[in-house]
Amino acid sequence: MTTVSVNTYTHSVTYLADNMLKSVKDIIVESGLDPSALVGDWEFYKTGMRTWLQTGHLEKVVLEVFDPATDALVVRWDIEVAYGWSANGDGSFWTDTDQLRYAIRKSGVHPSRLRYRFIVTRKAGFVDVVGWVSASFRSTVGMVRQSLGTTVEHNGLGASTSYYRRT
C-alpha cells in the first residue's frame, strides 16, 4: 500500500507542476506577451517545482509582469500551493481553465514591450535545485488582490490563483 501512495503522490505532484506551468503559460500568451522565455526554460522550471512539491516546500509560484523602462509592476499573478493530499482521495483531478481565462481577459491584454519573470517562494529547509537563485518581489503598493480560488486540484494537492492589479 505504501508504494501505491508514493506513486500516487508522485503522479499528483507531476499533474500539479505541469498544470501550474501551463497556467502560467496561458497567462503569458492570453495577456499578449511572448512565451518563448518561459517555454525555453520549461524543464528548468518544472524540475524546481516538482522537486519542491515532492518535498512539500513549494509555497507559491509568482509571475511578475513589468515595464522594463520603469521596472514598475503592471500585474502580478500568484499560484499558491495547498498540501491537502490524501492517499484515500476520490481520484479527482481538474484544472479550471475557464475561470483562469476569464480572469486573464478581465486583467487585460498588455503591450508586447512588457516583460515578465517567474519567481517561487519555498518553506525553510528546502533543497537546492541547480540554477535557482534568490529574488525579491516588486512592490504591490497601490494594487488590489483579486482571488480566483482553487484552479488546479489532484487528490487534495492543489493550487489557488490570484492576481494583483492597479486600482
Side-chain angles (χ1 to χ4, degrees):
M1 184 65 165
T2 302
T3 302
V4 172
S5 294
V6 170
N7 289 338
T8 302
Y9 186 74
T10 299
H11 181 70
S12 295
V13 163
T14 300
Y15 181 86
L16 193 68
D18 288 348
N19 282 283
M20 287 173 68
L21 269 173
K22 184 185 177 311
S23 295
V24 170
K25 182 180 74 75
D26 289 347
I27 292 166
I28 292 167
V29 170
E30 299 287 326
S31 296
L33 303 173
D34 180 3
S36 59
L38 176 75
V39 173
D41 288 331
W42 191 270
E43 288 303 315
F44 169 75
Y45 293 132
K46 189 164 80 170
T47 298
M49 290 173 58
R50 286 177 69 180
T51 298
W52 297 313
L53 281 168
Q54 188 72 42
T55 62
H57 288 96
L58 184 64
E59 293 176 312
K60 183 179 359 182
V61 169
V62 175
L63 178 71
E64 288 187 337
V65 178
F66 62 96
D67 185 333
T70 63
D71 201 42
L73 187 63
V74 174
V75 65
R76 178 174 130 177
W77 293 84
D78 292 4
I79 304 175
E80 296 182 59
V81 178
Y83 292 94
W85 186 84
S86 168
N88 298 323
D90 61 5
S92 68
F93 56 95
W94 50 268
T95 303
D96 193 344
T97 55
D98 290 339
Q99 182 181 20
L100 186 60
R101 287 183 202 277
Y102 176 77
I104 296 166
R105 281 193 304 275
K106 191 173 172 183
S107 170
V109 174
H110 303 299
S112 60
R113 68 178 166 71
L114 297 183
R115 297 292 172 256
Y116 59 86
R117 69 178 182 160
F118 187 95
I119 305 169
V120 299
T121 62
R122 300 153 299 191
K123 296 176 186 173
F126 67 89
V127 297
D128 286 328
V129 175
V130 175
W132 286 84
V133 296
S134 296
S136 13
F137 294 112
R138 287 176 172 80
S139 175
T140 56
V141 171
M143 301 182 97
V144 176
R145 183 177 182 264
Q146 303 288 306
S147 179
L148 305 172
T150 302
T151 53
V152 182
E153 161 78 28
H154 195 285
N155 285 340
L157 181 62
S160 59
T161 302
S162 60
Y163 66 99
Y164 290 81
R165 64 171 178 77
R166 293 276 168 212
T167 54

